[in-house]
Amino acid sequence: MTMTTFTFIERTLGFLFKIYLSREIGAIGMGIYSVALSFFFVLITLLTSGIPLVVSKQTATNKAESGGVCSAALIFELVTALIVCLLVVLFQKPIGALFADSQSMTLVIVMLPALVFSGVYSAFRGVLWGEKRFTTVSVVELIEQIARIVGCVVLFSLFSDKTTAVAASMTVACFVSAAAVALFYFLGKRKLKSPKAHFKPLIATSVPITLSRTTSSINNYIIAIAMPFLLMSSGLNTEQSMYVFGSCVGMALPLLYLPITVVGSLAFVMIPTLSEAYAKGDKKSVCSQIENALSFSVIIAAIILPSYIALGEPLGTFIYNNTDAGIFLKKSAWLLLPLAFENIASSMLNSLDLERKSLINYLIGAATMYVICFAFYSRFDMDVFILAFGLSLIMSSVLDVIDIKRRSGFKLKFFKPLFICLAGAYPAWLFTEYIHSIIPGTVLPIIVAGIGGVCFCALVAVIFGAVDFEMTMGRKSKKGKKSKTLKNRKPLMEFKD
């Protein structure tokens, strides 16, 4: 709940910031910036995706060695960041030729210093993460979001080109977050120790994770290049294709990630806790965490789904003043389910030492998406993209579940809440549309209808047993009785219920 609260605040600020940006730089500017950002995320994922996760897992299992692991991570990250920055600067012309608009490469160069700061951030963050200092990590991420918003507003007054100001704000935010997390690290009386014994295991363990996460970022970068290209193959010019890409992927898709904030928080918290339980061989705790987390992810996504279908168009029009973004949001609302599920399932694979399986499953899903997209060459539109993207997530999720079941033997309990919530989705959709239609105004009907639709679907989930409060309370009461009679026995982990 702590993570969810902070992350919700952070995402809400980021969401409002996205609205502000879309109105300041327009759909075309958002398209240019989205392309640059997708390439930048390839670089930052290459540097920082595997390291903090490995540092957190090693810290969770052996806190005494965290100082040495952190030192090794710092050195590795800084050296790698400097090498990557140098290579990008040297080869900026051939790299820039891949972008639909040359201005995207300029934005990448402006954001390069953020790679160095992110390397520092990821090393210290990994230790705090492994120690389960979730509040501290959340505070730092909130500080970064605030720094980016404030920095962008200030830089808008200094730069004539507002897209360049947006890119510069990323560098400012990464510097502030690196300084903040380093401060929290040393204020906790933690020290850096000799890294000699930790380089090899750190690199060996992080490589599969880094490859998996980097592949994801590369995939997003390819999407940023391939989608405008495919749109042009169907008859649009460059400006029109960037408008469609910016309004759909740059504006509408971020709205889909906002309501599954709580699922992302759960995935973040589960990595050290599930890793610890797996390392101890506590199969009961491992299965309990997996079953509850998967069920939780589908319930959260499913009860929000009807409101997004019903309110997609008015949301896009009100928030972005862009009708196309609203239409795309409504059509893509069903992606909430596979997005939430794949998010939590892939995190579980990493916690269960199945990083290579996670990479393979993701690649199979991505290949599925591109086969579908290019099968519609010259007839491609964003409806095809929605279908292809959704099927890729479903494919990866199915493969993830198969691998998790083989490793842990958990039961497929998430099917029951999934079917119940989906059965209640249609009446909840109609109920939400009806509430929206009878309330006058612009903002109030969206708020009231949205809350009403979520509550309607949540009530259906509770009434028909998707959420089993009785079973949860029963487990807690039994644990309480056992603790009174077996005082000297160490109880099972509290988080499993």
Side-chain angles (χ1 to χ4, degrees), residues 274 277-278 280-291 405-410 492:
L274 186 58
Y278 179 70
K280 291 180 178 179
D282 191 347
K283 186 176 181 180
K284 184 178 180 181
S285 176
V286 168
C287 291
S288 176
Q289 290 185 65
I290 292 172
E291 291 162 5
K405 186 168 178 59
R406 286 175 179 171
R407 176 56 60 93
S408 65
F410 83 102
L492 294 175

Side-chain angles (χ1 to χ4, degrees), residues 335-349:
L335 294 176
L336 275 171
L337 275 170
L339 275 171
F341 194 91
E342 199 275 337
N343 188 331
I344 199 76
S346 60
S347 295
M348 289 176 181
L349 287 177

Side-chain angles (χ1 to χ4, degrees), residues 302-311 420-436 449-461:
I303 64 175
I304 297 172
L305 173 60
S307 295
Y308 262 60
I309 298 175
L311 303 174
I420 291 173
C421 291
L422 287 180
Y426 183 68
W429 171 17
L430 297 179
F431 176 78
T432 306
E433 285 192 333
Y434 173 72
I435 295 298
H436 182 264
I451 295 174
V454 170
C455 292
F456 184 97
C457 207
L459 185 61
V460 171

Side-chain angles (χ1 to χ4, degrees), residues 167-194:
S169 70
M170 175 70 76
T171 298
V172 172
C174 290
F175 169 76
V176 172
S177 63
V181 76
L183 180 63
F184 280 117
Y185 179 90
F186 291 110
L187 284 177
K189 297 182 180 180
R190 303 173 186 86
K191 296 181 180 179
L192 297 176
K193 299 180 181 179
S194 174

